Amino acid sequence: MRLEINKGPDFTPAQWTGAGAGFFVSAAIARFLVLEGYLTKNWAVVLVSAFAGRP
């Protein structure tokens, strides 16, 4: 039995648009929070290390 690669359902154009808009909006909000001092400049390192830690 052969499995077909990349034959699953694809995103609709509206889903791609929503994903792109969400990416840029979340990046803008994160940048604003860094500039206002609510997040440290290395907040991504903190986030990644939090995911790397044990639950």
Side-chain angles (χ1 to χ4, degrees):
M1 179 175 153
R2 255 174 90 172
L3 295 176
E4 297 294 327
I5 298 175
N6 294 332
K7 292 293 183 180
D10 199 11
F11 288 126
T12 64
Q15 289 172 318
W16 281 110
T17 303
F23 174 78
F24 285 109
V25 168
S26 63
I29 290 172
R31 181 67 179 155
F32 174 75
L33 291 175
V34 167
L35 290 176
E36 292 296 316
Y38 293 113
L39 288 175
T40 62
K41 287 188 178 185
N42 58 351
W43 64 273
V45 174
V46 174
L47 183 65
V48 169
S49 63
F51 281 117
R54 294 167 64 186

